[in-house]
Every structure is written in structure tokens, then in C-alpha cells.
Amino acid sequence: MMTIKYILQKEFLQIFRSKAMIPIIFLMPLFQLLILANAATYEIKNISFCVVDYDYSNNSREFVSKFYATNYFLLSGYYTSVKEAEEELKTNKSRLIIHIPKDFEKDLLLNKNTKVQFLINAENANAAGLIMNYSMSIVQAFNKQIITETVNYNTSNLQSGIYITYSNWFNNLLNYKTYMVPGILVALVTLIGLFLSGMNIVKEKETGTIEQINVSPIKKYQFIIGKLLPFWIIALIELAFGIILGIIIFNVPLIGNPLLIFLVASVYLLLILGIGLFISTITETQQQAMFIAWFIMIIFLLLGGIFTPVENMPDWAQTIDIFNPIAHFSKMIRMIMLKGSGLRDIGESLMLIGLYAIVMLFLATIRYRKKT
Amino acid sequence: MEDVFVIDVNKLTKKFGAFTAVDSISFKVKKGEIFGFIGANGAGKTTAIKMLCGILIPTSGDAVVSGFDVYKQSEKIKKNIGYMSQKFSLYEDLTVRENIKFYAGIYGLKSGVIKEKTEFILDSLRITEAGNRLIKSLPLGWKQKLAFSIASIHNPKIVFLDEPTGGVDPLTRRQFWKMIQSASENGITLFVTTHYMDEAEYCNRISMMVDGRIAALDSPMNLKEKIKADTMQQVFIKIASQRVILN
């Protein structure tokens, strides 16, 4: 016990010896939250579009005005031919061309059936899908208006078929920040756990001090606890700080029990520290450790469901995600913060990462040898 | 006290794949002896020391250090030895006092004892005013003397020194060897590797390693006589270049 105390004391001294450390610890979550939570959004606004209107009628102008009346679309200009307008797509000046054929109005009023063409830049398939959806809902609204005006009936009497109304549970304004902030906190905690712990032991290998430790009677478990505990504590403090910032700056709800978040985070960190420790046992230099940690981090992050839903991924990727700590933690922290889930709801995931943590720590411990 | 052997090595061998780093070496070291381990770079000195310290498992042969077997009781050996490696072993980003406290702490010294020892070391090295300076700001010679004091802070029976004076100026080297000699007078056994032949003269006995084997083992005086040389320098060059086996 005393030995661990001395190791801990030394580790904390070394961590905080560099004057940059304390500002980094508190500025990092602030910057990450401010930048990422505001930037990483799925919404698209100010979609520039251009129009080729061969009809030039009241109704066609009315139709186009529906687009720029929203703050989602921004009219960049009118063109007299589709060919000219295509240049706008090629040069990325517009992402959407609305092509209105001749007789748009005539067909609309006489035949109750007319055509409009949308040409969408689909370099970014996700964005193209969103532009399509936005456009379709404007078309729908326009249809409804035309029917009301021309037939002059109350729309409700005309409604046939199924109309869908929405109620978004757990994030009813579909605020992306509410969704992103917990995810970013996960990334933050993972970053600290994986990198700081991984680098730390390798640094002792590089400087040669590990040899001095190896010839001492320090026991394996004492060394590992002494090495991991400081980062476990720092990461939990970071998390607390991040949650407070999220609540104050972004009004992210914290419906569930904060203690449950910390229980989950404690177990999660054991897993991440175990992985970091494992990396440090299979590498010889900080450069190697950094490279491997990044490699793993990128995979964890992109498959982790922070930025794109796990449900959208192919089956094989979802299978990989069983072994992705971030996927479990981001799911659990969102459930607790946004839905108020309790221990019973997340129990299974918690058990899974707990088991995973034991396996990783075990592997890392047997890999770390005091002998060669 | 004459016949107490604290290190007893018998046909100790270490192979790395096809390469034999240490080839069946045998020797005994008496309590309080300054035992010099001399040889060219890559002769197997460091490998041999690591096996004796219990951080490298031998391929074959036996070794008993301070009464404990290197295969089965390496953790017990570690309690009884001090070790100072050729790579620098203090924490550069910690102060002198913090380094002393850490190493004393992990050897299980009580905090009262640690305080006493700290003052004693600072005082005997005459660096009391540098106690709160970071290691990286100290001259190399100070660091090496401090590393030696720290390696023997827990009163080990044996201290292994692997090229402790590499890159240190002659005056500091002489002071360093005074420390080694006074440790020996206190009954501590010192196992030293070095490249400096003038240092070899300070040792009670020398074992000269060539290509993983012990080519010669005797007191410096006897070695010079046998090989008909005036200095240890000549002894070393003759043995190392002509592969003379003197046993």
C-alpha cells in the first residue's frame, strides 16, 4: 500500500510538473465542446440553388419563392438553359438546380398534374439526401396550398390517405447539440485515458527508468495501479467538468442520475486504461505507441456512433462494434443524460464493458513483465 | 568473513536466438569485494549483470545472488541488491529530493528514515542547496554520484554498477571511486563494469570478458604479472585482441 502511495505521488508530480498540463486539462473540454458541438451537426442550412424556369408563370415564381422563403435555401440565380445552370453544379456554386418545364402552370391547373425536375449535387450522399427531403416537404406544402386555392375547399375535408405527425421523444426539438455533447464527452474521456496512459509507461521505457523499476521489489500490480490511477482520476474530473460545461453552455439535459454516469465512466475508464496499458507493453517508443493509439482511436470514434448512427452501419460493422468501447459508452451516456435511463436499462452494456475491462487489464498485466 | 560468497555463478549462459551473449561463465564474488567486470563493447557484460539482477532469465547454468536463486527467487534478490544502469536512471523532471523520496519509498523505507537518508545523501554529496533542483539541470557527474547513492539507499548487500562513470570527467570519476571504496569498507559488495582501465586498478579482482566468455580472472596485480604488462590497459588490449585465455 505504501509503495503505491509513493508511485502515485511521483506520477502526479510528473504529470503536473509541466506547466501546460493544468490549462490543457481544463481548456481541452471547453474547446472540444465549443468547436465540435457547434460544428458537428447534421443540419444543412443556406443551400444555394439556381433556377431554370421555362414556364415563367405566376405559379412557377410562387413555387420558387417557397424555397428561398425558408432559411434552408439561398437563391443564387436564374438561368435560361439547363446547360448553363449545370455549370453552377460543376463549380459548386449551387447544390441544387430547380428545372421548371414549359406548361408547368397550364398542366397544374388543367390536368392537376405537372412536373418539376431537381438536379442535386450528390458528391456528399448524406447532404444530397437531406436536400432531397427538404425539397420534397416544400413540394408537399406547395401542393396542399394549390389544392386549397384552386378547389377553394377547406383542406381538412380533402385529406385522404395518411398524414404523418411527429413527436420527437427525448430530444423533442431535434437539437443536435443535445445529441452531440454527450458524444464529445465520450471522445474526451477516451482520449485522455488511452493516450496519457499509453504514452506514460512507454516514456519510462524510452528514458530507461523502467529498468530501475524492474530491478526494484515493486510488484506488478503496484506498478500498474500506480500508473493507471492518476489518469483514471484525471479523466473522471474532466468528465465532470465537461458535463457541467455542457449543461451551462448548451443546456444539455441531465435527466438521469449523475452518479450512474460516473459509475459507467469508472468502469469504462478501466477498459480504456487497460487498452492503453496494453499498447504500452507491445511498443518500445512513444512514437509507436502514439501511432497505434491513433489507429485504434480513429476506428473506435468513427464506428462508435458519436457522429453517425450505429444502426446505419452494415451488419459486419455492427458486429465489430460489440468490441468498440466507445459504441457502448456513447450509447449509455446518451441514455442516461437524455432519457433518464436507470441501471436496469443499461445493465447489460455495463456488464459487457466491465467484462471487457477485466480481460484487457488481465492481458496487459501478463504482457507487462519485469523480466525479459 | 573471508569465505562468504555473495555471488556464486556456475556455467551461466544466455542465448538470443543463435547468438550466445554470455557463454558458460563461472565465478564467485566475496562479501565486501569490489569485483570488476571488464570487456569490449558487446562482450556480454550488461547481459550478465541483468541475469544476476533477476531481470533477464538465463538460458542455462546457475547463479545464486545473496543466497537466492536467479530463476526462482528473483523478487527476493531485488530486495537485496542495488542497481545503477549505464542508461541514466533518475527522473529528469523530478527534483533531487523527489527522486530520493520515490526510490526510498518503493524499497519500503519509512518516511522518517527517508527524511534522514535524504539529508545524509545531500550532505555527503555536498549538494544540499541543489536539493530542490530538477535532475535535468544538474551536471552529469552529480547525477551519477546521486544515482549511486540512491542505488544503495536501502542498504543492499550487493550493488551492481553498469558503466557508472561513462562520460564523466576524471576528477568526478575519482570521487565516484572513493564512494565505491567506502561502500566496500562498509561490507557492501560491488559489482562494477567499466571501460576505463585506470578504474580497473581500483578493483580487488577483475574478470575480463571476451565474446561472452571470461578470458581472465584475477587481481589486477596478478594479471599484470601473468601477462607481463605494466598497466591494465596493456593487459586488456593483449587479452581482448589475442583472445588469450588465462585460466
Side-chain angles (χ1 to χ4, degrees):
Chain A
M1 223 26 239
M2 285 307 275
T3 309
I4 295 177
K5 189 196 101 182
Y6 284 105
I7 303 174
L8 282 177
Q9 201 171 40
K10 173 211 145 229
E11 292 301 327
F12 275 116
L13 273 172
Q14 282 186 301
I15 293 168
F16 293 115
R17 177 110 312 153
S18 92
K19 290 199 174 63
M21 204 61 194
I22 293 176
I24 285 174
I25 282 177
F26 291 105
L27 285 178
M28 199 163 80
L30 189 66
F31 274 106
Q32 283 204 337
L33 282 174
L34 285 180
I35 294 169
L36 287 177
N38 283 311
T41 150
Y42 304 110
E43 280 183 320
I44 308 181
K45 284 185 179 166
N46 302 326
I47 303 160
S48 60
F49 74 107
C50 60
V51 179
V52 182
D53 187 354
Y54 289 121
D55 196 44
Y56 232 76
S57 59
N58 269 338
N59 270 308
S60 71
R61 272 192 298 270
E62 172 79 21
F63 179 68
V64 171
S65 75
K66 294 285 175 216
F67 278 81
Y68 58 76
T70 68
N71 57 359
Y72 290 99
F73 290 94
L74 210 69
L75 181 62
S76 84
Y78 273 90
Y79 286 89
T80 48
S81 75
V82 174
K83 216 171 182 74
E84 277 178 282
E86 276 173 7
E87 279 305 304
E88 287 252 319
L89 278 198
K90 283 178 189 159
T91 56
N92 276 348
K93 280 184 192 140
S94 293
R95 303 170 87 163
L96 164 72
I97 300 172
I98 301 177
H99 170 205
I100 302 171
K102 209 171 167 12
D103 299 334
F104 170 81
E105 189 175 57
K106 201 173 103 193
D107 286 346
L108 186 68
L109 298 178
L110 290 179
N111 304 336
K112 311 273 181 256
N113 191 356
T114 190
K115 282 182 180 136
V116 176
Q117 184 186 30
F118 293 113
L119 296 163
I120 301 170
N121 176 358
E123 269 173 290
N124 181 340
N126 234 342
L130 277 173
I131 295 172
M132 181 73 190
N133 282 341
Y134 291 165
S135 305
M136 291 318 290
S137 52
I138 291 175
V139 170
Q140 233 176 15
F142 181 75
N143 275 340
K144 216 156 115 183
Q145 187 192 329
I146 289 293
I147 294 166
T148 325
E149 282 171 6
T150 51
V151 184
N152 211 1
Y153 271 135
N154 191 337
T155 26
S156 57
N157 296 339
L158 267 170
Q159 276 175 12
S160 55
I162 299 168
Y163 270 77
I164 300 168
T165 58
Y166 302 92
S167 156
N168 298 298
W169 281 28
F170 311 125
N171 182 359
N172 51 12
L173 295 173
L174 290 185
N175 182 345
Y176 282 102
K177 282 164 198 152
T178 304
Y179 180 70
M180 284 313 294
V181 168
I184 290 161
L185 292 177
V186 170
L188 185 77
V189 168
T190 312
L191 197 73
I192 292 175
L194 196 62
F195 281 70
L196 292 187
S197 69
M199 291 310 116
N200 187 280
I201 294 176
V202 180
K203 190 179 164 201
E204 297 230 9
K205 276 192 197 173
E206 267 186 355
T207 55
T209 42
I210 192 92
E211 207 158 77
Q212 203 67 39
I213 299 284
N214 287 347
V215 293
S216 78
I218 286 186
K219 298 208 169 40
K220 250 189 191 183
Y221 79 91
Q222 294 172 328
F223 182 68
I224 287 172
I225 292 174
K227 279 286 178 191
L228 297 190
L229 199 55
F231 300 112
W232 189 81
I233 294 169
I234 290 172
L236 286 178
I237 292 173
E238 280 274 21
L239 179 64
F241 185 62
I243 289 176
I244 293 169
L245 281 182
I247 292 170
I248 295 173
I249 301 179
F250 299 105
N251 292 316
V252 174
L254 176 50
I255 300 169
N257 186 346
L259 289 177
L260 188 58
I261 294 179
F262 283 93
L263 173 71
V264 174
S266 314
V267 178
Y268 174 75
L269 273 167
L270 289 181
L271 169 56
I272 292 301
L273 292 170
I275 296 173
L277 184 67
F278 185 75
I279 292 173
S280 72
T281 60
I282 58 171
T283 51
E284 291 302 320
T285 63
Q286 294 191 66
Q287 199 179 25
Q288 290 170 2
M290 185 73 112
F291 184 73
I292 294 179
W294 256 118
F295 173 74
I296 293 176
M297 183 79 184
I298 292 279
I299 294 177
F300 281 178
L301 266 184
L302 294 183
L303 290 182
I306 294 180
F307 304 107
T308 49
V310 174
E311 292 78 7
N312 283 5
M313 295 174 195
D315 286 344
W316 59 263
Q318 295 196 29
T319 312
I320 291 177
D321 261 338
I322 296 171
F323 300 100
N324 183 351
I326 287 186
H328 296 290
F329 189 37
S330 62
K331 189 177 83 184
M332 283 189 280
I333 196 170
R334 278 178 181 146
M335 283 171 78
I336 300 168
M337 285 184 77
L338 311 184
K339 243 168 46 171
S341 298
L343 189 57
R344 234 188 319 160
D345 309 303
I346 58 156
E348 203 179 319
S349 294
L350 186 60
M351 290 254 287
L352 205 69
I353 60 165
L355 206 69
Y356 194 4
I358 292 169
V359 171
M360 278 319 294
L361 283 171
F362 176 74
L363 283 177
T365 313
I366 52 171
R367 276 275 332 174
Y368 168 67
R369 290 201 190 95
K370 285 183 76 183
K371 282 179 194 157
T372 42
Chain B
M1 290 296 263
E2 280 299 305
D3 290 305
V4 180
F5 293 108
V6 287
I7 301 176
D8 191 340
V9 178
N10 193 13
K11 291 182 182 159
L12 196 66
T13 302
K14 180 69 191 182
K15 291 182 181 164
F16 296 104
F19 172 67
T20 306
V22 173
D23 191 0
S24 189
I25 58 171
S26 304
F27 58 86
K28 288 178 182 180
V29 181
K30 273 181 267 177
K31 183 175 186 293
E33 196 172 18
I34 302 176
F35 189 82
F37 222 52
I38 285 168
N41 289 323
K45 295 170 305 209
T46 300
T47 307
I49 279 204
K50 283 187 176 170
M51 287 191 281
L52 297 180
C53 290
I55 54 173
L56 190 64
I57 304 164
T59 309
S60 62
D62 294 309
V64 176
V65 176
S66 181
F68 300 108
D69 181 70
V70 289
Y71 292 97
K72 292 174 202 145
Q73 298 167 302
S74 61
E75 291 306 308
K76 283 186 179 151
I77 291 177
K78 286 172 186 174
K79 278 189 189 137
N80 290 290
I81 60 162
Y83 173 78
M84 178 183 163
S85 70
Q86 63 191 104
K87 254 188 167 179
F88 193 66
S89 54
L90 301 176
Y91 291 94
E92 297 266 319
D93 51 353
L94 294 182
T95 66
V96 174
R97 284 176 189 276
E98 286 160 356
N99 266 287
I100 297 174
K101 188 176 179 187
F102 171 67
Y103 281 115
I106 63 174
Y107 279 98
L109 269 59
K110 298 265 181 313
S111 70
V113 181
I114 294 176
K115 281 196 188 95
E116 252 170 56
K117 286 262 184 188
T118 305
E119 296 315 317
F120 175 75
I121 289 173
L122 291 177
D123 198 43
S124 59
L125 295 178
R126 299 204 192 94
I127 53 170
T128 311
E129 74 289 348
N132 292 324
R133 271 171 68 183
L134 295 183
I135 293 294
K136 63 180 160 206
S137 72
L138 299 182
L140 182 66
W142 292 24
K143 291 186 202 174
Q144 299 297 73
K145 284 190 274 185
L146 182 61
F148 176 63
S149 305
I150 289 178
S152 39
I153 199 163
H154 54 293
N155 299 324
K157 295 196 178 84
I158 309 163
V159 178
F160 290 91
L161 302 160
D162 192 2
E163 287 175 28
T165 53
V168 174
D169 68 84
L171 180 66
T172 312
R173 268 168 54 204
R174 168 173 259 146
Q175 293 168 345
F176 196 91
W177 275 88
K178 282 211 174 114
M179 290 172 70
I180 290 178
Q181 281 165 331
S182 81
S184 156
E185 280 155 21
N186 290 328
I188 295 176
T189 306
L190 293 121
F191 193 107
V192 191
T193 76
T194 180
H195 279 308
Y196 298 107
M197 288 309 130
D198 57 325
E199 291 186 349
E201 309 266 5
Y202 296 125
C203 299
N204 299 122
R205 278 193 308 151
I206 295 284
S207 131
M208 212 166 266
M209 275 194 90
V210 178
D211 294 340
R213 291 162 177 270
I214 293 179
L217 202 168
D218 213 329
S219 68
M221 201 192 277
N222 290 347
L223 280 176
K224 280 185 278 189
E225 234 166 67
K226 275 191 208 166
I227 213 108
K228 298 188 175 55
D230 297 329
T231 61
M232 281 307 294
Q233 185 98 19
Q234 289 168 353
V235 172
F236 175 75
I237 290 170
K238 269 194 179 165
I239 292 177
S241 60
Q242 295 169 7
R243 308 283 196 263
V244 184
I245 305 288
L246 263 190
N247 261 335

